[in-house]
Amino acid sequence: MADLDVVLEHVDKTFPGNTRAVIDFSAEIEHGEFVSMLGPSGCGKTTLLRMVGGLEEATSGRIFISGQEVTDLPPSHRDTSMMFQSFALFPHRTVFQNVEFSLKMRGLEKDMRTRRVWSMLETVNMDALADRRPSDLSGGQQQRVALARALISEPTVLLLDEPLGSLDYNLRQTMMVELKKIQQETGITFIMVTHSQQEAMSMADKVIVMSDAMVQQIGTSREIHENPRNQFVADFIGNNNMFQGVIRSRSGSMVFVEAGSQLYYIRVPEHIRQVNVGQEAHFSVRADLMHTGDNPEMANKVRGSYVATEFLGTLETDVFEVGPGHFVHVEQHRHLSDTTYKVGEMETLCFAADSGMLLERTRRPEDLTG
Ligand SMILES: Nc1ncnc2c1ncn2[C@@H]1O[C@H](COP(=O)(O)OP(=O)(O)O)[C@@H](O)[C@H]1O
Ligand SMILES: [Mg+2]
C-alpha cells in the first residue's frame, strides 16, 4: 500500500433509525490524486468523507491512510484536513492570522510560521490581502483563505465537501481552474465531494460515481464518459440515449437487441460476462455518436419525429421521438447542421454498432451476497 494515501475496504455506515448512508464502499486513492465523489444529493457522499476524516464512525469495514489503519482513530490522529461547504473564518482575525492559527496552536515558532503562511498565501494568491478581515473579502477570496487554512498543516489528504457549491457560476468556473492548479502545485491528495458533473469531470483524475449509498463506477472522466458501466451511470453522466429491449441473439462480443419495433446490433463490453438470449437488456448511445440521415455504413437505424432543438454554446441537440415517450438526442456542432426541421417531421437516425453500449443493472444493496 506504499503509494496509496487512502484505502477503503467494504465501508458501511448505518445511522440510528436504520438509514443506510454508505454500503460496501471500497476504493483506493493514490498519492497526489485529485479524486472526486460524484452523485445526487443524499447518496452518502458527505457521510463517506466524514468517515475518512474521522468525524463519523464507520459501522463496519476498514479505512487506511498512508498504509496505517485509522478506522477507530479520532480526527486528531488522522493526517487529514477538511474544508467544509460553509467555511467559517475567524471574523476578528486578519487573513494572515486565520491561516496562521493552526500552526500557532501546534507551537511552531514565529519565524517558521511567518514563512509558511506567506508561502501559502502566495499559493492561493492572497498575499496582497493578508491584512484584510474576512468581512472585507469577496466570496471567492474567503474561499481561498479557507483553502489556505486547510492546507497550511500539510495534510496527507485534503477533504473538500462541495467547496464550490456556494459560489456563483462565473466564480465557480475560475475557482475550478485554481483549485486544480493549487492541488498540482502542492501535490496533496484531494478528495472532493460534488453533485456537479461538470466539476467532477473537469477537475478530477479519478471520479467515483455514487448513487443510493453505493459506488456505481470508478474511473477517469474519460472512461466514465466513454464507457458507462451501468444504467445509473449512463443516465446520470453526459448526454446518453437510453434504450430498453430484449436480447434476441448473440455472436461473440456483439448482440442483437430488440427494442420498440427495431432490432439493434450492439457491443457487449468486456466486463459483462453473462448475456442470455431472451433476457431484458439496456443499452446507451452517446448523443454525439448519434447521427441524422440515412448512413448506409451504420448498422443501426431508427425513425423519429422531430420535437425540438436545444442550444448550448456551439453545440446543438436535436430531439426526436422514436417511440411513445422515448426521446433520442442527436448532438452536433451548429455549423454542420444546416437542416432545420419542422415539428413532427420524420427523420432517420443512425449509429454505428460500436457506439451502442450494453449496460449492467444499477448496483443495489440486494445484489450483495453474504
Ligand atoms: N447524522 C445523521 N443521522 C441520520 N441520518 C443521516 C445523518 N447524516 C446523514 N444522514 C442520512 O444519510 C444519507 C446520506 O446523507 P449524506 O451523506 O449527507 O448525502 P450527500 O452528501 O450525498 O448529500 C441521507 O439519507 C441522510 O439523510
Ligand atoms: Mg453532502
Side-chain angles (χ1 to χ4, degrees):
M1 286 191 190
D3 276 351
L4 293 175
D5 271 359
V6 181
V7 175
L8 297 148
E9 284 181 2
H10 305 290
V11 172
D12 268 272
K13 177 68 188 185
T14 305
F15 284 110
N18 212 24
T19 304
R20 300 186 74 186
V22 174
I23 300 169
D24 192 40
F25 193 108
S26 294
E28 293 185 339
I29 293 166
E30 282 169 42
H31 178 65
E33 265 189 318
F34 194 133
V35 175
S36 103
M37 290 203 306
L38 170 66
S41 179
C43 74
K45 305 180 298 295
T46 295
T47 304
L48 197 277
L49 205 66
R50 288 170 58 84
M51 287 194 284
V52 175
L55 302 168
E56 203 75 72
E57 216 178 305
T59 308
S60 62
R62 305 205 298 168
I63 301 172
F64 299 82
I65 294 175
S66 306
Q68 189 206 353
E69 180 164 6
V70 299
T71 318
D72 299 318
L73 296 183
S76 55
H77 287 65
R78 302 186 185 201
D79 202 3
T80 57
S81 184
M82 186 135 174
M83 189 172 147
F84 296 95
Q85 195 165 356
S86 56
F87 37 86
L89 300 172
F90 300 118
H92 301 300
R93 293 176 203 259
T94 63
V95 165
F96 186 96
Q97 289 164 340
N98 263 281
V99 178
E100 184 190 28
F101 183 75
S102 71
L103 298 184
K104 225 170 169 173
M105 294 302 285
R106 282 201 280 155
L108 232 70
E109 60 156 293
K110 191 162 192 311
D111 280 0
M112 178 65 108
R113 284 197 321 253
T114 306
R115 226 173 321 134
R116 280 194 31 197
V117 173
W118 278 120
S119 154
M120 184 51 70
L121 288 176
E122 278 167 32
T123 303
V124 300
N125 208 7
M126 282 297 291
D127 44 322
L129 302 177
D131 294 331
R132 293 252 185 114
R133 285 179 206 280
S135 55
D136 300 326
L137 299 174
S138 71
Q141 290 165 341
Q142 291 183 28
Q143 190 95 26
R144 275 172 236 222
V145 180
L147 185 61
R149 202 175 56 173
L151 286 172
I152 193 76
S153 55
E154 298 180 339
T156 301
V157 185
L158 181 66
L159 308 169
L160 306 106
D161 194 355
E162 309 260 6
L164 310 180
S166 59
L167 305 179
D168 66 36
Y169 180 82
N170 286 326
L171 192 51
R172 200 159 65 226
Q173 303 303 308
T174 313
M175 283 304 288
M176 267 166 50
V177 176
E178 292 204 10
L179 206 52
K180 178 79 189 168
K181 201 172 128 236
I182 290 165
Q183 190 268 336
Q184 283 169 341
E185 272 174 29
T186 57
I188 290 174
T189 305
F190 277 29
I191 307 180
M192 179 185 78
V193 158
T194 178
H195 64 272
S196 155
Q197 187 189 140
Q198 192 213 356
E199 284 175 19
M201 302 293 267
S202 60
M203 291 160 85
D205 303 311
K206 184 190 273 174
V207 180
I208 302 178
V209 184
M210 279 183 84
S211 86
D212 296 323
M214 296 184 86
V215 175
Q216 298 297 339
Q217 185 165 359
I218 301 180
T220 63
S221 302
R222 200 190 186 108
E223 280 162 4
I224 286 170
H225 185 249
E226 293 183 353
N227 295 305
R229 277 183 85 98
N230 67 32
Q231 289 172 43
F232 174 82
V233 179
D235 210 14
F236 187 66
I237 306 275
N239 194 359
N240 286 307
N241 292 299
M242 308 292 285
F243 291 82
Q244 180 183 356
V246 173
I247 294 179
R248 287 301 175 208
S249 69
R250 170 171 195 169
S251 78
S253 63
M254 304 298 289
V255 284
F256 279 103
V257 178
E258 187 181 347
S261 52
Q262 213 59 38
L263 205 55
Y264 297 95
Y265 193 47
I266 298 299
R267 175 160 61 108
V268 183
E270 271 171 34
H271 64 88
I272 298 188
R273 301 239 169 70
Q274 201 165 1
V275 175
N276 300 319
V277 171
Q279 158 195 318
E280 185 185 85
H282 294 258
F283 66 91
S284 65
V285 183
R286 269 162 47 200
D288 60 309
L289 298 177
M290 189 66 85
H291 304 275
T292 50
D294 193 348
N295 184 336
E297 281 167 25
M298 301 213 170
N300 299 299
K301 294 183 193 8
V302 61
R303 296 278 287 167
S305 84
Y306 174 75
V307 177
T309 299
E310 298 163 0
F311 296 97
L312 186 72
T314 61
L315 285 180
E316 75 171 51
T317 300
D318 295 325
V319 183
F320 297 86
E321 189 168 16
V322 300
H326 185 202
F327 298 98
V328 164
H329 291 207
V330 183
E331 183 183 287
Q332 47 202 331
H333 282 279
R334 191 173 296 177
H335 63 276
L336 293 175
S337 55
D338 42 10
T339 321
T340 43
Y341 296 102
K342 288 193 206 57
V343 172
E345 188 177 334
M346 294 302 288
E347 170 67 292
T348 301
L349 314 175
C350 56
F351 60 95
D354 254 7
S355 304
M357 177 74 64
L358 199 67
L359 302 167
E360 287 178 339
R361 286 179 45 224
T362 304
R363 279 189 80 211
R364 303 212 181 278
E366 54 269 29
D367 299 338
L368 295 173
T369 51

